Amino acid sequence: MADNTVGRPPLLLLCSAQFMLALDFAIVNVALGGMQRDLGFTDSGLQWVVGAYALFYGGFLLLGGRAGDAVGRKRLFVAGLSVFTLASLLGGLATEPFVLIAARALQGLAAAAVSPAVLALIAAGFPEGKERVKAMGVFGAVSSAGFSGGVAAGGLLTEYISWRAVMLVNLPVGVVLVALAARRLTADHHSTRATRLDVPGAILVTSAMCAFSYGLTVASDEGWGARTVIVSLTAGVALLLAFLVVQTRVPAPLVPLSIFRNRSLSSGNGIAFLSGGVMSVSTFFITLYLQQVLGYSDVRTGLAFFPQAFVVFLASVPVIRLTEKLGAPRTLAIGGVVLTAGSVLLAQVTAGSSYLLVVLPGGVLLGLGVTVMMITTAVAATSGVSGPQMGLASGLYNSSRQLGVGLCLALGVAVAGIAHGAVRAIPIGGFQAAFWFTGALSAGIVAVSVLGLRGTAPRAQEGSAPATSADGSGVPAEASAPAV
């Protein structure tokens, strides 16, 4: 039975859920100090408040996206959002470190179901062209604003209420969103082909992603030479290779490898990886610079990120219009240049640098560039993909971005020369090296935009997605690259 495209979904509802997920990803970082003081975390244990979320979110994203294709995206969205809300309550009431870590792991698992479902519902509900560009623009702007605003909100909530507020704030929002989703979202019909889930492939790729996520989380604390890191990353590579072999031999693979012939999708995922790295490394080191070098408190650190969040809000509509006018390739290249400029400016920091003259303008440029990435990369990564494969494309996009966040942050820590346990005493040269590293990642975005997306249509045209191949891979039947 062919896949039936769902009607146009309520965009505000879906983007509100995405905002909550993005906010939660960033909001916890500023509250770590309060969690450690209240629950008695050790330094090594504290990393798992963030690491447990990253492990389960990154590990199950691809499976979550494919599950949406199989069982229905509305079902997965409502179920995942319900679990996320309950996990937030559990974390907010935690009295022991292991309870908070378990709650964060459950949040990550739920987010791995919700996030691909949100993107897939939007992509399936809005036809390719200007309508999808505008919808993805709202999605990307909300994601970027949630991430930027999360740092600011975390500082305010922790300072004036409690670290528990950063968890419990999800409770009323989640309850309302679940109730609205149950009533407003149209049940989508999945294909019988999609329901034949590739169980061996699912186990292999999920295990590989978990191994990578675990290794990268530990690497930022123990160093790349640690036995645990080497074993985890080696296992991840072996499992991923085994997964690729399986995908070529099963009749209904979890990830049809032919989907990567879609150059827009492949390049979009590469840019998502790099931009995720820029976002995570820059936020991490700006936060540490403000607190360690400039001596900012948690709340002042949060307020220092408000201009960046405000720029995201102001730039969203112009970026959507720019993408409509120039197309994804050129817009992404411009965004990469802006990110590079922001990184180079931040790389000039010294022990006596001014927030107003260096950190603020550098952060604003990064916020502007990240807005371009969040809006336009989603357009490229879902271009030319058929309805039955939209969850898969969404899972790939989110997985690429999450891998970029984890891998590049671990590399950034290594580039900064942070030894085990020395994150509280980073030399100024370490900050400079980290920002030069984000500059290199940003230059990579420019290169992929110019070379990888070269030949795709320069403007988003009205109309439906191109016809797709008979194998259900979601790859356009035409040999040329899909329009962006």
Side-chain angles (χ1 to χ4, degrees):
M1 181 175 65
D3 180 78
N4 297 323
T5 303
V6 300
R8 181 170 297 180
L11 187 61
L12 180 60
L13 169 63
L14 295 175
C15 287
S16 295
Q18 182 63 27
F19 180 82
M20 185 173 72
L21 297 182
L23 187 77
D24 189 80
F25 185 86
I27 200 172
V28 171
N29 289 279
V30 182
L32 291 176
M35 294 172 178
Q36 186 173 33
R37 290 188 297 270
D38 194 11
L39 299 183
F41 275 100
T42 62
D43 286 344
S44 59
L46 188 64
Q47 70 164 326
W48 286 106
V49 176
V50 176
Y53 184 97
L55 175 63
F56 281 82
Y57 180 60
F60 287 86
L61 264 172
L62 189 55
L63 182 58
R66 204 64 171 112
D69 291 333
V71 304
R73 293 152 198 157
K74 175 184 176 178
R75 291 181 184 176
L76 205 63
F77 178 84
V78 173
L81 202 56
S82 300
V83 173
F84 187 89
T85 303
L86 291 173
S88 299
L89 175 62
L90 177 65
L93 299 178
T95 57
E96 297 290 340
F98 77 89
V99 176
L100 181 56
I101 291 174
R104 289 288 289 165
L106 194 58
Q107 278 186 321
L109 182 63
V114 175
S115 192
V118 169
L119 185 59
L121 284 166
I122 293 174
F126 292 87
E128 266 197 76
K130 290 185 177 180
E131 287 192 44
R132 186 180 295 179
V133 169
K134 290 178 180 177
M136 288 297 184
V138 176
F139 166 82
V142 164
S143 298
S144 186
F147 189 87
S148 300
V151 180
L156 292 172
L157 290 173
T158 302
E159 181 77 12
Y160 294 113
I161 304 178
S162 164
W163 67 263
R164 297 182 186 277
V166 306
M167 302 291 290
L168 296 177
V169 71
N170 296 324
L171 191 59
V173 179
V175 170
V176 171
L177 290 178
V178 169
L180 289 175
R183 293 186 59 185
R184 297 285 308 280
L185 282 180
T186 304
D188 48 316
H189 302 287
H190 53 279
S191 68
T192 55
R193 176 187 178 94
T195 59
R196 296 198 296 269
L197 191 62
D198 171 19
V199 176
I203 293 173
L204 286 170
V205 74
T206 301
S207 299
M209 294 292 288
C210 285
F212 281 127
S213 297
Y214 180 79
L216 294 174
T217 300
V218 174
S220 62
D221 183 63
E222 298 184 7
W224 290 96
R227 181 179 179 181
T228 304
V229 175
I230 295 173
V231 170
S232 297
L233 296 183
T234 301
V237 171
L239 289 165
L240 185 59
L241 291 175
F243 167 72
L244 294 175
V245 172
V246 168
Q247 297 310 282
T248 64
R249 299 185 179 183
V250 295
L254 183 73
V255 181
L257 300 184
S258 56
I259 197 171
F260 293 106
R261 292 203 301 266
N262 180 331
R263 206 163 82 239
S264 181
L265 178 145
S266 299
S267 299
N269 277 278
I271 294 171
F273 175 89
L274 294 170
S275 61
V278 174
M279 184 170 59
S280 63
V281 176
S282 61
T283 302
F284 179 78
F285 282 96
I286 289 175
T287 301
L288 290 180
Y289 178 81
L290 291 173
Q291 294 180 339
Q292 290 186 11
V293 180
L294 300 187
Y296 280 26
S297 64
D298 287 348
V299 66
R300 195 177 179 189
T301 299
L303 291 172
F305 277 90
F306 261 122
Q308 186 172 332
F310 189 61
V311 165
V312 171
F313 173 76
L314 290 179
S316 300
V317 172
V319 169
I320 293 171
R321 291 176 177 171
L322 188 66
T323 305
E324 290 177 350
K325 183 177 181 179
L326 299 181
R330 293 177 182 175
T331 306
L332 286 169
I334 293 171
V337 171
V338 173
L339 285 175
T340 304
S343 297
V344 170
L345 180 56
L346 285 170
Q348 311 307 312
V349 294
T350 65
S353 291
S354 165
Y355 167 76
L356 291 176
L357 295 180
V358 180
V359 182
L360 176 60
V364 166
L365 287 172
L366 286 177
L368 180 58
V370 167
T371 304
V372 175
M373 295 301 113
M374 296 297 290
I375 290 175
T376 314
T377 306
V379 175
T382 57
S383 181
V385 180
S386 65
Q389 301 292 323
M390 200 58 75
L392 169 60
S394 302
L396 286 169
Y397 167 76
N398 282 285
S399 296
S400 298
R401 188 155 54 91
Q402 183 62 19
L403 275 177
V405 167
L407 177 58
C408 294
L409 182 56
L411 288 172
V413 168
V415 167
I418 302 175
H420 171 57
V423 72
R424 298 179 186 275
I426 306 175
I428 196 65
F431 288 106
Q432 295 169 346
F435 292 127
W436 280 117
F437 175 61
T438 64
L441 295 176
S442 302
I445 291 173
V446 178
V448 175
S449 301
V450 173
L451 301 177
L453 292 174
R454 183 176 57 187
T456 58
R459 298 173 187 269
Q461 302 295 334
E462 294 283 8
S464 58
T468 53
S469 58
D471 65 357
S473 66
V475 180
E478 297 87 347
S480 60
V484 175

Short mmCIF file of all heavy atoms in Angstrom, two decimals, residues 184-238:
data_model
loop_
_atom_site.label_atom_id
_atom_site.label_comp_id
_atom_site.label_asym_id
_atom_site.label_seq_id
_atom_site.Cartn_x
_atom_site.Cartn_y
_atom_site.Cartn_z
N ARG A 184 -5.06 17.48 17.57
CA ARG A 184 -4.85 18.28 16.36
C ARG A 184 -4.08 17.55 15.26
O ARG A 184 -4.28 17.85 14.07
CB ARG A 184 -4.09 19.56 16.72
CG ARG A 184 -4.84 20.50 17.66
CD ARG A 184 -5.96 21.22 16.95
NE ARG A 184 -5.50 21.88 15.74
CZ ARG A 184 -4.86 23.05 15.72
NH1 ARG A 184 -4.62 23.68 16.86
NH2 ARG A 184 -4.48 23.57 14.58
N LEU A 185 -3.20 16.64 15.62
CA LEU A 185 -2.41 15.96 14.59
C LEU A 185 -3.25 14.89 13.89
O LEU A 185 -3.98 14.13 14.54
CB LEU A 185 -1.17 15.31 15.19
CG LEU A 185 0.02 16.23 15.50
CD1 LEU A 185 1.17 15.42 16.09
CD2 LEU A 185 0.48 16.98 14.27
N THR A 186 -3.13 14.83 12.59
CA THR A 186 -3.83 13.82 11.81
C THR A 186 -3.02 12.53 11.81
O THR A 186 -1.80 12.55 11.61
CB THR A 186 -4.02 14.29 10.36
OG1 THR A 186 -4.72 15.54 10.37
CG2 THR A 186 -4.81 13.27 9.56
N ALA A 187 -3.69 11.41 12.06
CA ALA A 187 -2.99 10.12 12.03
C ALA A 187 -2.48 9.86 10.62
O ALA A 187 -3.22 9.98 9.65
CB ALA A 187 -3.93 9.00 12.47
N ASP A 188 -1.20 9.55 10.51
CA ASP A 188 -0.60 9.28 9.21
C ASP A 188 -0.59 7.78 8.97
O ASP A 188 -0.37 6.99 9.87
CB ASP A 188 0.81 9.85 9.11
CG ASP A 188 1.67 9.50 10.30
OD1 ASP A 188 1.17 9.61 11.44
OD2 ASP A 188 2.83 9.13 10.10
N HIS A 189 -0.83 7.39 7.72
CA HIS A 189 -0.87 5.97 7.36
C HIS A 189 0.48 5.56 6.81
O HIS A 189 0.99 6.16 5.88
CB HIS A 189 -1.96 5.73 6.31
CG HIS A 189 -3.32 6.17 6.77
ND1 HIS A 189 -4.04 5.48 7.71
CD2 HIS A 189 -4.06 7.25 6.42
CE1 HIS A 189 -5.20 6.10 7.92
NE2 HIS A 189 -5.23 7.19 7.15
N HIS A 190 1.03 4.53 7.41
CA HIS A 190 2.34 4.05 6.97
C HIS A 190 2.17 2.92 5.97
O HIS A 190 1.14 2.28 5.89
CB HIS A 190 3.16 3.58 8.17
CG HIS A 190 2.45 2.57 9.02
ND1 HIS A 190 1.51 2.93 9.97
CD2 HIS A 190 2.55 1.23 9.06
CE1 HIS A 190 1.04 1.84 10.56
NE2 HIS A 190 1.65 0.80 10.03
N SER A 191 3.23 2.69 5.20
CA SER A 191 3.17 1.66 4.18
C SER A 191 3.48 0.30 4.76
O SER A 191 4.20 0.17 5.74
CB SER A 191 4.18 1.99 3.06
OG SER A 191 5.49 1.87 3.54
N THR A 192 2.94 -0.75 4.14
CA THR A 192 3.24 -2.11 4.61
C THR A 192 4.69 -2.44 4.37
O THR A 192 5.29 -3.22 5.10
CB THR A 192 2.36 -3.13 3.86
OG1 THR A 192 2.53 -2.95 2.45
CG2 THR A 192 0.90 -2.92 4.21
N ARG A 193 5.28 -1.84 3.35
CA ARG A 193 6.71 -2.06 3.10
C ARG A 193 7.54 -1.53 4.27
O ARG A 193 8.48 -2.17 4.72
CB ARG A 193 7.12 -1.34 1.81
CG ARG A 193 8.62 -1.42 1.51
CD ARG A 193 8.97 -0.54 0.31
NE ARG A 193 10.40 -0.57 0.06
CZ ARG A 193 11.00 -1.38 -0.78
NH1 ARG A 193 10.30 -2.28 -1.44
NH2 ARG A 193 12.31 -1.32 -0.97
N ALA A 194 7.15 -0.35 4.80
CA ALA A 194 7.93 0.26 5.86
C ALA A 194 7.82 -0.50 7.17
O ALA A 194 8.69 -0.43 8.01
CB ALA A 194 7.47 1.70 6.06
N THR A 195 6.69 -1.25 7.37
CA THR A 195 6.51 -1.92 8.65
C THR A 195 7.41 -3.12 8.80
O THR A 195 7.55 -3.64 9.91
CB THR A 195 5.04 -2.36 8.82
OG1 THR A 195 4.68 -3.24 7.76
CG2 THR A 195 4.12 -1.16 8.83
N ARG A 196 7.97 -3.61 7.72
CA ARG A 196 8.90 -4.74 7.83
C ARG A 196 10.25 -4.21 8.31
O ARG A 196 11.17 -3.99 7.53
CB ARG A 196 9.02 -5.45 6.48
CG ARG A 196 7.73 -6.09 6.00
CD ARG A 196 8.00 -7.12 4.91
NE ARG A 196 8.56 -6.49 3.71
CZ ARG A 196 7.83 -6.04 2.70
NH1 ARG A 196 6.51 -6.12 2.76
NH2 ARG A 196 8.38 -5.49 1.65
N LEU A 197 10.31 -3.99 9.60
CA LEU A 197 11.50 -3.35 10.16
C LEU A 197 12.69 -4.29 10.10
O LEU A 197 12.60 -5.47 10.45
CB LEU A 197 11.23 -2.95 11.61
CG LEU A 197 12.26 -2.04 12.27
CD1 LEU A 197 12.34 -0.70 11.55
CD2 LEU A 197 11.91 -1.83 13.74
N ASP A 198 13.79 -3.76 9.66
CA ASP A 198 15.05 -4.50 9.57
C ASP A 198 15.63 -4.61 10.98
O ASP A 198 16.39 -3.74 11.42
CB ASP A 198 15.99 -3.74 8.62
CG ASP A 198 17.40 -4.29 8.62
OD1 ASP A 198 17.61 -5.44 9.04
OD2 ASP A 198 18.31 -3.55 8.20
N VAL A 199 15.27 -5.69 11.70
CA VAL A 199 15.67 -5.84 13.10
C VAL A 199 17.19 -5.95 13.26
O VAL A 199 17.78 -5.24 14.10
CB VAL A 199 14.96 -7.04 13.74
CG1 VAL A 199 15.45 -7.25 15.18
CG2 VAL A 199 13.45 -6.81 13.75
N PRO A 200 17.88 -6.81 12.49
CA PRO A 200 19.36 -6.86 12.64
C PRO A 200 20.01 -5.50 12.37
O PRO A 200 20.92 -5.09 13.09
CB PRO A 200 19.78 -7.91 11.60
CG PRO A 200 18.56 -8.75 11.40
CD PRO A 200 17.41 -7.81 11.52
N GLY A 201 19.55 -4.82 11.33
CA GLY A 201 20.10 -3.51 11.03
C GLY A 201 19.84 -2.52 12.14
O GLY A 201 20.71 -1.72 12.49
N ALA A 202 18.62 -2.57 12.70
CA ALA A 202 18.27 -1.66 13.79
C ALA A 202 19.17 -1.88 15.01
O ALA A 202 19.66 -0.94 15.63
CB ALA A 202 16.80 -1.84 14.18
N ILE A 203 19.40 -3.14 15.34
CA ILE A 203 20.26 -3.45 16.50
C ILE A 203 21.69 -3.00 16.25
O ILE A 203 22.33 -2.39 17.12
CB ILE A 203 20.23 -4.97 16.78
CG1 ILE A 203 18.83 -5.39 17.26
CG2 ILE A 203 21.28 -5.35 17.83
CD1 ILE A 203 18.66 -6.89 17.40
N LEU A 204 22.20 -3.25 15.05
CA LEU A 204 23.59 -2.89 14.74
C LEU A 204 23.81 -1.38 14.73
O LEU A 204 24.76 -0.88 15.34
CB LEU A 204 23.98 -3.49 13.39
CG LEU A 204 24.23 -5.00 13.35
CD1 LEU A 204 24.38 -5.49 11.92
CD2 LEU A 204 25.49 -5.35 14.16
N VAL A 205 22.91 -0.63 14.06
CA VAL A 205 23.15 0.81 13.94
C VAL A 205 22.92 1.50 15.29
O VAL A 205 23.64 2.44 15.64
CB VAL A 205 22.26 1.43 12.84
CG1 VAL A 205 20.81 1.55 13.27
CG2 VAL A 205 22.80 2.79 12.43
N THR A 206 21.95 1.03 16.06
CA THR A 206 21.72 1.63 17.37
C THR A 206 22.89 1.35 18.30
O THR A 206 23.35 2.24 19.03
CB THR A 206 20.41 1.09 17.99
OG1 THR A 206 19.33 1.40 17.11
CG2 THR A 206 20.16 1.72 19.35
N SER A 207 23.41 0.12 18.25
CA SER A 207 24.58 -0.21 19.07
C SER A 207 25.80 0.60 18.64
O SER A 207 26.57 1.07 19.49
CB SER A 207 24.89 -1.72 18.95
OG SER A 207 23.81 -2.50 19.40
N ALA A 208 25.96 0.80 17.33
CA ALA A 208 27.08 1.59 16.83
C ALA A 208 26.98 3.03 17.29
O ALA A 208 27.97 3.61 17.78
CB ALA A 208 27.13 1.52 15.30
N MET A 209 25.79 3.62 17.18
CA MET A 209 25.61 5.01 17.60
C MET A 209 25.82 5.17 19.10
O MET A 209 26.41 6.15 19.57
CB MET A 209 24.21 5.49 17.21
CG MET A 209 23.97 5.57 15.71
SD MET A 209 24.94 6.87 14.92
CE MET A 209 24.07 8.31 15.51
N CYS A 210 25.34 4.20 19.87
CA CYS A 210 25.54 4.25 21.33
C CYS A 210 27.03 4.14 21.68
O CYS A 210 27.52 4.82 22.57
CB CYS A 210 24.75 3.14 22.01
SG CYS A 210 22.97 3.44 22.11
N ALA A 211 27.74 3.26 20.97
CA ALA A 211 29.17 3.11 21.22
C ALA A 211 29.93 4.39 20.91
O ALA A 211 30.80 4.82 21.67
CB ALA A 211 29.73 1.95 20.39
N PHE A 212 29.58 5.02 19.77
CA PHE A 212 30.21 6.29 19.42
C PHE A 212 29.89 7.36 20.47
O PHE A 212 30.79 8.10 20.92
CB PHE A 212 29.73 6.77 18.05
CG PHE A 212 30.40 6.10 16.89
CD1 PHE A 212 29.65 5.49 15.89
CD2 PHE A 212 31.78 6.06 16.79
CE1 PHE A 212 30.26 4.86 14.81
CE2 PHE A 212 32.41 5.43 15.71
CZ PHE A 212 31.64 4.83 14.73
N SER A 213 28.62 7.46 20.84
CA SER A 213 28.21 8.48 21.81
C SER A 213 28.90 8.29 23.14
O SER A 213 29.37 9.25 23.77
CB SER A 213 26.68 8.44 21.99
OG SER A 213 26.01 8.75 20.79
N TYR A 214 29.00 7.04 23.59
CA TYR A 214 29.64 6.75 24.87
C TYR A 214 31.13 7.09 24.81
O TYR A 214 31.67 7.75 25.71
CB TYR A 214 29.46 5.28 25.22
CG TYR A 214 30.10 4.89 26.54
CD1 TYR A 214 29.48 5.18 27.75
CD2 TYR A 214 31.34 4.25 26.57
CE1 TYR A 214 30.07 4.84 28.96
CE2 TYR A 214 31.93 3.91 27.77
CZ TYR A 214 31.29 4.20 28.96
OH TYR A 214 31.90 3.87 30.16
N GLY A 215 31.79 6.65 23.74
CA GLY A 215 33.22 6.93 23.61
C GLY A 215 33.52 8.41 23.57
O GLY A 215 34.48 8.87 24.19
N LEU A 216 32.71 9.18 22.85
CA LEU A 216 32.94 10.62 22.74
C LEU A 216 32.68 11.33 24.06
O LEU A 216 33.38 12.28 24.41
CB LEU A 216 32.05 11.20 21.65
CG LEU A 216 32.36 10.73 20.21
CD1 LEU A 216 31.33 11.25 19.24
CD2 LEU A 216 33.77 11.16 19.80
N THR A 217 31.67 10.87 24.79
CA THR A 217 31.38 11.47 26.09
C THR A 217 32.52 11.24 27.07
O THR A 217 32.96 12.15 27.78
CB THR A 217 30.07 10.89 26.66
OG1 THR A 217 29.00 11.17 25.76
CG2 THR A 217 29.75 11.50 28.02
N VAL A 218 33.04 10.02 27.09
CA VAL A 218 34.14 9.69 28.00
C VAL A 218 35.43 10.39 27.57
O VAL A 218 36.24 10.80 28.40
CB VAL A 218 34.33 8.16 28.06
CG1 VAL A 218 35.56 7.80 28.90
CG2 VAL A 218 33.10 7.50 28.66
N ALA A 219 35.63 10.53 26.24
CA ALA A 219 36.86 11.14 25.73
C ALA A 219 37.04 12.56 26.23
O ALA A 219 38.17 13.00 26.50
CB ALA A 219 36.86 11.11 24.20
N SER A 220 35.94 13.31 26.35
CA SER A 220 36.06 14.69 26.80
C SER A 220 36.51 14.79 28.25
O SER A 220 37.00 15.83 28.68
CB SER A 220 34.71 15.41 26.64
OG SER A 220 33.72 14.80 27.44
N ASP A 221 36.38 13.69 29.00
CA ASP A 221 36.77 13.70 30.41
C ASP A 221 38.07 12.94 30.65
O ASP A 221 38.92 13.38 31.42
CB ASP A 221 35.64 13.09 31.26
CG ASP A 221 35.95 13.12 32.74
OD1 ASP A 221 36.08 14.24 33.29
OD2 ASP A 221 36.07 12.04 33.35
N GLU A 222 38.24 11.80 29.99
CA GLU A 222 39.39 10.93 30.26
C GLU A 222 40.50 11.04 29.23
O GLU A 222 41.60 10.55 29.45
CB GLU A 222 38.92 9.47 30.35
CG GLU A 222 37.94 9.21 31.48
CD GLU A 222 37.58 7.73 31.61
OE1 GLU A 222 38.20 6.91 30.91
OE2 GLU A 222 36.68 7.41 32.40
N GLY A 223 40.22 11.66 28.09
CA GLY A 223 41.24 11.78 27.04
C GLY A 223 41.11 10.69 26.00
O GLY A 223 40.55 9.61 26.26
N TRP A 224 41.66 10.95 24.81
CA TRP A 224 41.53 10.01 23.68
C TRP A 224 42.29 8.72 23.89
O TRP A 224 41.98 7.71 23.26
CB TRP A 224 42.01 10.70 22.41
CG TRP A 224 41.09 11.77 21.95
CD1 TRP A 224 41.20 13.11 22.22
CD2 TRP A 224 39.89 11.63 21.20
NE1 TRP A 224 40.14 13.80 21.66
CE2 TRP A 224 39.32 12.92 21.02
CE3 TRP A 224 39.23 10.53 20.64
CZ2 TRP A 224 38.15 13.12 20.31
CZ3 TRP A 224 38.05 10.74 19.93
CH2 TRP A 224 37.53 12.02 19.78
N GLY A 225 43.31 8.74 24.74
CA GLY A 225 44.11 7.54 24.93
C GLY A 225 43.54 6.57 25.94
O GLY A 225 44.09 5.47 26.14
N ALA A 226 42.44 6.92 26.59
CA ALA A 226 41.85 6.04 27.60
C ALA A 226 41.36 4.75 26.95
O ALA A 226 40.83 4.75 25.83
CB ALA A 226 40.69 6.74 28.30
N ARG A 227 41.53 3.63 27.66
CA ARG A 227 41.16 2.32 27.12
C ARG A 227 39.68 2.27 26.79
O ARG A 227 39.28 1.73 25.74
CB ARG A 227 41.52 1.24 28.13
CG ARG A 227 41.19 -0.18 27.65
CD ARG A 227 41.58 -1.21 28.69
NE ARG A 227 41.24 -2.55 28.24
CZ ARG A 227 41.45 -3.65 28.96
NH1 ARG A 227 42.02 -3.56 30.17
NH2 ARG A 227 41.10 -4.83 28.49
N THR A 228 38.85 2.84 27.65
CA THR A 228 37.40 2.83 27.43
C THR A 228 37.04 3.55 26.13
O THR A 228 36.18 3.09 25.36
CB THR A 228 36.68 3.52 28.60
OG1 THR A 228 37.04 2.87 29.82
CG2 THR A 228 35.17 3.45 28.42
N VAL A 229 37.72 4.65 25.87
CA VAL A 229 37.45 5.43 24.65
C VAL A 229 37.84 4.63 23.41
O VAL A 229 37.07 4.54 22.44
CB VAL A 229 38.20 6.77 24.70
CG1 VAL A 229 38.02 7.53 23.39
CG2 VAL A 229 37.72 7.60 25.88
N ILE A 230 39.03 4.05 23.45
CA ILE A 230 39.51 3.29 22.30
C ILE A 230 38.61 2.10 22.00
O ILE A 230 38.22 1.85 20.85
CB ILE A 230 40.96 2.81 22.55
CG1 ILE A 230 41.90 4.02 22.63
CG2 ILE A 230 41.41 1.86 21.44
CD1 ILE A 230 43.31 3.66 23.04
N VAL A 231 38.22 1.37 23.04
CA VAL A 231 37.36 0.20 22.86
C VAL A 231 35.99 0.62 22.33
O VAL A 231 35.45 0.00 21.40
CB VAL A 231 37.20 -0.57 24.19
CG1 VAL A 231 36.12 -1.65 24.06
CG2 VAL A 231 38.52 -1.21 24.59
N SER A 232 35.42 1.69 22.87
CA SER A 232 34.10 2.14 22.45
C SER A 232 34.09 2.59 21.00
O SER A 232 33.20 2.21 20.22
CB SER A 232 33.61 3.28 23.35
OG SER A 232 33.47 2.85 24.68
N LEU A 233 35.06 3.41 20.62
CA LEU A 233 35.09 3.91 19.25
C LEU A 233 35.41 2.81 18.25
O LEU A 233 34.85 2.78 17.14
CB LEU A 233 36.11 5.05 19.14
CG LEU A 233 35.80 6.30 19.97
CD1 LEU A 233 36.85 7.38 19.72
CD2 LEU A 233 34.42 6.85 19.65
N THR A 234 36.28 1.88 18.63
CA THR A 234 36.58 0.73 17.76
C THR A 234 35.34 -0.13 17.57
O THR A 234 35.04 -0.57 16.45
CB THR A 234 37.72 -0.11 18.35
OG1 THR A 234 38.88 0.71 18.51
CG2 THR A 234 38.05 -1.28 17.44
N ALA A 235 34.63 -0.37 18.65
CA ALA A 235 33.39 -1.14 18.56
C ALA A 235 32.37 -0.43 17.69
O ALA A 235 31.66 -1.06 16.90
CB ALA A 235 32.82 -1.38 19.96
N GLY A 236 32.31 0.91 17.81
CA GLY A 236 31.39 1.67 16.99
C GLY A 236 31.68 1.53 15.51
O GLY A 236 30.76 1.34 14.70
N VAL A 237 32.97 1.59 15.15
CA VAL A 237 33.35 1.43 13.74
C VAL A 237 33.01 0.03 13.24
O VAL A 237 32.45 -0.14 12.14
CB VAL A 237 34.85 1.71 13.57
CG1 VAL A 237 35.31 1.35 12.17
CG2 VAL A 237 35.17 3.18 13.86
N ALA A 238 33.33 -1.00 14.04
CA ALA A 238 33.05 -2.38 13.64
C ALA A 238 31.55 -2.62 13.46
O ALA A 238 31.11 -3.25 12.48
CB ALA A 238 33.62 -3.33 14.69
#
